[in-house]
Amino acid sequence: YTRELQKLIESKNLGDKVTLCGNTNDVLSKYINADIIVLPSAYEGFPLALSEGMSAGLPGVGFRKCMGVNEIIEDGRTGY
């Protein structure tokens, strides 16, 4: 899947904007150095990654109609 995503990034000329960072054991440092946390799920039970990112101070971005996401993100206040 990584190769497929990298080809898509290159085909859209987004190499200077999108970076696939791979795996890490130090998730908190990644959140601290990020600008936003995005959860593109259309369906989600409890969005743990979104909750972790927001607990590190990141604004969240997700689908308004996605259950779980729409209960954690306060539109316009803690994210969109």
Side-chain angles (χ1 to χ4, degrees), residues 9-30:
I9 291 165
E10 291 169 8
S11 73
K12 303 293 182 184
N13 295 317
L14 295 172
D16 60 331
K17 304 224 183 289
V18 178
T19 303
L20 302 178
C21 298
N23 299 329
T24 183
N25 290 324
D26 187 12
V27 177
L28 182 58
S29 73
K30 301 301 179 190

Side-chain angles (χ1 to χ4, degrees), residues 11-65:
S11 73
K12 303 293 182 184
N13 295 317
L14 295 172
D16 60 331
K17 304 224 183 289
V18 178
T19 303
L20 302 178
C21 298
N23 299 329
T24 183
N25 290 324
D26 187 12
V27 177
L28 182 58
S29 73
K30 301 301 179 190
Y31 289 144
I32 290 170
N33 290 305
D35 296 312
I36 61 173
I37 180 80
V38 178
L39 192 72
S41 299
Y43 304 99
E44 193 71 42
F46 181 79
L48 185 56
L50 176 64
S51 300
E52 290 174 344
M54 291 178 70
S55 74
L58 297 174
V61 177
F63 288 111
R64 178 176 286 137
K65 292 186 178 185

